Amino acid sequence: MPASKKRPLLIAAMLAALVIIIAVIALPSLQMNAPMPEESAGVEPAPMPPNAVPLEPAPEPVIIVGEEPMIMPSGEDFVVQRLFYGTNRVPQAPDEDGPTYGAEGHQSLTLGTAEITIPKNAHEFGNIERPRRITIFTITLFEEKEDAAKHMTLLAREELSLEEFQTRAAQIARDSETYEGAALVFIHGFNTSFDQAMFRGAQIAYDMRFDGPAFVYSWPSQGRLLSYVNDTEAAKSAVKPMDEFMEAVITTPGVERVHVIAHSMGNAALAELLTRSGTRLGARGKAIDQLVLAAPDLDARYFRTVFEHFTDAANNVTLYACGSDRALLASSKIRDDFPRLGDVPNGVPVIVPGIDTIDVTAVGTEIFSLNHNAFAQSRGVLTDLSQLLLTRMHPPEKRTPVLIKEDGPYWKMPK
């Protein structure tokens, strides 16, 4: 065979050998648990909230609606975090875990509940433990088997009527002790699938030891990095179903206070809801107790013209700004470097009357995002957030003394 024909075959053989070597080397390491960080050594975990229930992977969960509590199986390796969801994603064919939802949106609201397992011993604060995999281009060379003792898993999804939705959430509200009378709503950001939103919502509620009913609203993000423009439009178009969802949460029996956390582009959906005339939420006045804007992907100039819609809808508004948020940096570049509300342009965050602004650049806000890789550094954000929802105390240094008061005024979280 001529040398010119042998060369492509030789190159292909070498590439195939390289792929095999990478897979062989990586396979053992991927099956091992990641080591716990030094910060976690010797620290006793917080008491398990009533909303996180131990269970075994054995029988299917049994839900009893009414005066009796919801019954779940018990076990040693993992617990379940219950979430109540609302979405205007178009339903897809169900899988073994229940109904599924795609990236397309419509104007109908679907309500339901999701059960997320969280590994007791393998969970690291602020992290979402999912099976690891090796992918080269579009070829998956290795994918770790899902294991509830090591990973967060989706145990079940179930669609509910409004009555069932409120009845089950009301049961948890009645049983809550630490966050008595409180409900928590999480609105996810850019590049997030439905299931990813459930994992993040479960992680936040679990790490905060939130024992009241935890809710997630999932607008139809494409779940792709290259779909920024589409996601922006999808977030803004969710006003009608999102308004219905918030009404369902607010009117749930036993819920006396509703706290809302909106992350990144989720703030675009929230802004559209709060500024749109004729919504039920807008007619309720201060229907939200603590409103948290986590690295909001909003034009800072636009926000200055509409911020009163936020302060009119909530008893208090807290803004976590982050100068190292990668999504915000990319967003500002797309928009010719116009500053985003959640950014820290020139070292100083955006200051707006009536809103507590906290610069968390030193620790980051990746605890709310998908590509989280600095869980230990984000402990300060969730600690302050927990204190905010528990004590409802302002200004921020009263509840979290480590916060540094700066001129402006705003506060800075030290590393």
Side-chain angles (χ1 to χ4, degrees), residues 95 99-100 116 154 157 193-200 218:
D95 61 15
T100 64
I116 308 296
L154 205 155
R157 311 177 207 87
S193 70
F194 177 86
D195 284 357
Q196 288 168 338
M198 297 303 110
F199 286 130
R200 183 55 71 190
S218 182

Side-chain angles (χ1 to χ4, degrees), residues 51-71:
N51 200 24
V53 187
L55 66 151
E56 294 175 348
E60 291 294 323
V62 177
I63 307 295
I64 297 180
V65 179
E67 292 303 316
E68 294 295 323
M70 289 190 278
I71 299 176

Side-chain angles (χ1 to χ4, degrees), residues 262-280:
H263 175 245
S264 183
M265 196 177 285
N267 286 273
L270 180 63
E272 199 72 15
L273 173 58
L274 294 179
T275 58
R276 183 77 61 87
S277 63
T279 64
R280 280 173 284 190

Side-chain angles (χ1 to χ4, degrees), residues 29-338:
S29 63
L30 290 177
Q31 293 175 327
M32 297 176 63
N33 288 331
M36 293 296 289
E38 293 182 2
E39 291 89 341
S40 300
V43 178
E44 290 294 328
M48 208 65 61
N51 200 24
V53 187
L55 66 151
E56 294 175 348
E60 291 294 323
V62 177
I63 307 295
I64 297 180
V65 179
E67 292 303 316
E68 294 295 323
M70 289 190 278
I71 299 176
M72 305 292 290
S74 61
E76 298 179 355
D77 295 331
F78 56 94
V79 296
V80 157
Q81 176 68 52
R82 298 182 180 94
L83 296 175
F84 296 91
Y85 66 78
T87 186
N88 63 307
R89 295 174 183 265
V90 175
Q92 305 293 302
D95 61 15
E96 65 274 12
D97 301 318
T100 64
Y101 307 93
E104 296 300 316
H106 59 179
Q107 290 300 301
S108 297
L109 173 66
T110 301
L111 298 173
T113 184
E115 313 291 342
I116 308 296
T117 70
I118 300 176
K120 283 184 180 179
N121 300 319
H123 178 65
E124 297 172 333
F125 190 92
N127 200 24
I128 292 179
E129 292 79 17
R130 292 292 295 150
R132 303 176 188 177
R133 61 181 176 179
I134 299 176
T135 301
I136 296 181
F137 300 111
T138 58
I139 302 174
T140 299
L141 302 177
F142 168 77
E143 185 166 2
E144 190 179 13
K145 185 178 180 181
E146 193 174 69
D147 182 351
K150 298 191 299 182
H151 308 127
M152 291 179 65
T153 70
L154 205 155
L155 180 67
R157 311 177 207 87
E158 181 185 3
E159 291 186 0
L160 302 174
S161 67
L162 174 60
E163 181 181 2
E164 292 171 325
F165 181 85
Q166 291 187 319
T167 298
R168 297 188 189 184
Q171 181 67 62
I172 293 178
R174 284 195 292 269
D175 293 340
S176 64
E177 297 178 359
T178 304
Y179 293 87
E180 185 178 0
L184 176 64
V185 176
F186 175 63
I187 307 170
H188 65 77
F190 163 63
N191 184 28
T192 305
S193 70
F194 177 86
D195 284 357
Q196 288 168 338
M198 297 303 110
F199 286 130
R200 183 55 71 190
Q203 173 264 310
I204 292 171
Y206 178 80
D207 284 345
M208 287 178 59
R209 295 300 189 256
F210 188 82
D211 62 352
F215 300 83
V216 176
Y217 189 82
S218 182
W219 50 273
S221 164
Q222 296 288 307
R224 296 196 304 262
L225 284 172
L226 298 179
S227 297
Y228 185 88
V229 175
N230 287 339
D231 271 16
T232 302
E233 295 305 314
K236 292 180 178 180
S237 67
V239 170
K240 178 180 177 293
M242 194 171 169
D243 191 33
E244 293 178 26
F245 173 76
M246 290 301 300
E247 185 72 9
V249 174
I250 292 168
T251 58
T252 294
V255 171
E256 300 170 6
R257 295 177 303 282
V258 176
H259 306 307
V260 176
I261 303 172
H263 175 245
S264 183
M265 196 177 285
N267 286 273
L270 180 63
E272 199 72 15
L273 173 58
L274 294 179
T275 58
R276 183 77 61 87
S277 63
T279 64
R280 280 173 284 190
L281 182 62
R284 283 186 168 275
K286 293 186 180 296
I288 300 171
D289 187 48
Q290 303 301 316
L291 175 55
V292 177
L293 316 179
D297 189 0
L298 287 174
D299 188 311
R301 300 165 304 171
Y302 162 74
F303 187 75
R304 291 184 187 279
T305 69
V306 300
F307 75 90
E308 290 182 345
H309 290 274
F310 287 73
T311 54
D312 288 346
N315 289 323
N316 293 102
V317 182
T318 300
L319 165 62
Y320 289 119
C322 182
S324 60
D325 189 291
R326 290 170 292 175
L328 289 180
L329 293 173
S331 177
S332 64
K333 291 300 180 185
I334 292 173
R335 293 172 168 81
D336 297 326
D337 291 328
F338 287 142

